Amino acid sequence: MTSPDHLTVRSPEDILGFIPHSLGYWPAQSLVAMTLQGTRLGATLRLDLPGREVLAAPAKFLQAVRRYLAADKEADGTLLAFFTSNGSASSPSPYDGLLAGLDSMLEDAGMPVREAWYVGDDFWREAWCLDVSCCPLPGRPVQQIRDSTLNTEMVYRGSSVGPQPEEQAPALPVSSLYLAAVREAETAWSAQLDLRRASRQQFDSVLRLWLDLLDRPLKEAWLPEADRDGFLRASLLVPAYRDAVLMMAAAGTQAARAGAGQLGLFRDECLLAPVAPQAFPGTGACADGLQGAAAETGPPKEGPPGAGIPGYGDVLMGVAPAVPDWERLNALDLAFGQLAAAGGRAAAASFTGRGWIAWCRGRGSYSAAYLRQALDAEPGYRLAELLLELVRRGTLCGWAARKEAAWQKFGPDAA
């Protein structure tokens, strides 16, 4: 994720106050690195602080940091912040040796460390300042960071600092009656969709419903509907539908349809009429559901003209399109959050989708948390395992690595 362009940084407290807004939470036991492009902030990276064994032989850790930061091709400097559990950010720090290694490595990489800080629970200090007259021990109060001008501006813009990724609460409380009804609807719809897995018309009908959902006004409240939500959850149990929803949100309906067709999933003939909840017309006949959707919701949003139709693999890794449809991906993330509430294998698919979207946004901590929730809901869920391995290896999503494509948490007004 990249930072907004029009923020004025006047002090170290401003920079440190921006970090929790950039990540979405106040980091703990973390190394946070921020690239610089001249005097402008670039990308933000968070890594768990290493243990004693890695500190004794940090070469692999240093190379991982270098590889991550090198994804910002325009970076010419780096800022480092060590968020520790030491309340006083004591001096000397057990991470002084790691800081020295990072300083040397990043200097050689053309991204020298401009400033570095230690941030404890109660106090913070500049890492290289040893003059107690200007950097008194145990440090400056952390409250100065929370009260910084930039932190105040971020709150004014609507940004907030939430809980740690592992502590995320359900998106919307729902009643036990709703949960029972949506599970019953899911079971009924699953039986019908299983009979139509080879039907292109049913595939189009599923995408049509998802398209209508994702293209609602962003401020329109999500109202639980057991029959609709049961159908959506049932559709996520079919891997071809699940993957196509991800592709459609990021790259458009043509990419979703073309990719499914290339996999040879469908027969041309319509043996059974497609099904969908009654609230969504255009079912009950062997017709192309997406044609009706285009007429009702306007032309589908696709990539730049002449860009071609990307394949599933390129979309999954964030290679294509050049810029994904972040508006639809944001809407899909919210939908997945609601659909996960009823648990089960559909929740595993929803959490996996949220993990992929978080990875595309460059938020590895959130991605790993969602993917672990997916595996808790359905141990061995394959797509979650594959994505979690990418996160653990430090593989960056292609969109997150490019400033022009990266997700902007703070919206277009902040860019």
Side-chain angles (χ1 to χ4, degrees):
M1 190 196 74
T2 62
S3 61
D5 295 335
H6 300 156
L7 288 174
T8 301
V9 176
R10 299 180 177 86
S11 66
E13 293 93 327
D14 283 337
I15 296 173
L16 295 173
F18 173 74
I19 287 174
H21 288 279
S22 178
L23 296 175
Y25 60 96
W26 189 278
Q29 287 299 107
S30 300
L31 167 66
V32 178
M34 304 181 73
T35 59
L36 289 172
Q37 301 166 0
T39 60
R40 295 172 59 182
L41 294 176
T44 302
L45 165 72
R46 191 212 70 85
L47 291 171
D48 290 339
L49 283 174
R52 292 182 180 178
E53 293 184 1
V54 175
L55 290 176
K60 290 184 178 179
F61 184 87
L62 297 178
Q63 289 303 316
V65 174
R66 176 173 180 165
R67 185 173 67 252
Y68 297 149
L69 298 183
D72 185 348
K73 303 300 183 183
E74 300 177 12
D76 57 14
T78 311
L79 303 172
L80 298 177
F82 295 77
F83 286 79
T84 74
S85 59
N86 186 319
S88 63
S90 62
S91 178
S93 167
Y95 302 105
D96 284 345
L98 181 63
L99 173 57
L102 289 166
D103 184 37
S104 175
M105 180 268 295
L106 292 171
E107 177 77 33
D108 293 341
M111 297 178 287
V113 179
R114 306 273 183 84
E115 297 286 349
W117 304 274
Y118 291 118
V119 184
D121 295 331
D122 304 309
F123 298 93
W124 68 278
R125 65 181 178 86
E126 296 183 15
W128 286 319
C129 181
L130 302 178
D131 186 348
V132 294
S133 64
C134 62
C135 303
L137 295 176
R140 303 175 188 176
V142 164
Q143 192 62 40
Q144 292 180 354
I145 298 173
R146 302 184 189 276
D147 294 338
S148 68
T149 301
L150 190 143
N151 181 63
T152 302
E153 181 178 349
M154 295 307 305
V155 173
Y156 176 77
R157 290 176 180 232
S159 178
S160 61
V161 178
Q164 296 283 330
E166 292 79 5
E167 301 170 359
Q168 293 296 298
L172 181 69
V174 290
S175 70
S176 57
L177 290 176
Y178 163 79
L179 293 178
V182 78
R183 292 190 189 108
E184 182 179 357
E186 176 189 335
T187 299
W189 285 121
S190 291
Q192 296 197 57
L193 292 179
D194 280 343
L195 297 174
R196 296 165 170 82
R197 288 191 180 212
S199 167
R200 178 175 288 279
Q201 288 76 17
Q202 183 60 64
F203 174 86
D204 287 345
S205 184
V206 168
L207 286 195
R208 174 181 181 174
L209 196 158
W210 278 99
L211 187 67
D212 288 344
L213 179 70
L214 299 184
D215 285 349
R216 295 180 312 157
L218 286 178
K219 295 183 179 180
E220 183 177 315
W222 173 285
L223 298 177
E225 297 177 15
D227 194 45
R228 177 204 64 192
D229 299 346
F231 182 91
L232 293 172
R233 284 172 53 88
S235 74
L236 295 177
L237 301 181
V238 181
Y241 299 163
R242 177 203 64 194
D243 296 346
V245 169
L246 299 178
M247 300 305 108
M248 180 180 69
T253 54
Q254 290 185 21
R257 298 186 80 203
Q262 290 168 4
L263 294 175
L265 301 176
F266 309 118
R267 294 193 297 266
D268 291 334
E269 68 274 18
C270 179
L271 301 180
L272 293 173
V275 295
Q278 292 182 358
F280 294 85
T283 59
C286 293
D288 188 337
L290 287 180
Q291 291 179 355
E296 293 177 15
T297 64
K301 300 179 222 177
E302 307 295 349
I309 300 176
Y312 270 26
D314 286 342
V315 176
L316 185 67
M317 297 301 294
V319 176
V323 179
D325 191 330
W326 285 119
E327 185 175 326
R328 275 191 181 158
L329 285 172
N330 292 340
L332 182 60
D333 184 48
L334 293 175
F336 281 151
Q338 303 300 339
L339 295 174
R345 196 163 191 268
S350 297
F351 284 128
T352 300
R354 299 199 79 182
W356 177 70
I357 293 170
W359 180 65
C360 293
R361 290 171 171 172
R363 308 187 85 179
S365 298
Y366 281 96
S367 179
Y370 287 133
L371 295 171
R372 284 193 290 268
Q373 285 180 288
L375 293 172
D376 287 341
E378 180 73 19
Y381 195 75
R382 188 56 180 153
L383 182 57
E385 289 181 331
L386 292 173
L387 290 171
L388 187 57
E389 184 62 24
L390 289 176
V391 174
R392 287 172 174 166
R393 289 181 180 178
T395 304
L396 287 177
C397 173
W399 297 318
R402 304 196 313 275
K403 183 177 178 63
E404 68 276 10
W407 176 65
Q408 292 283 351
K409 173 186 176 183
F410 310 106
D413 293 339

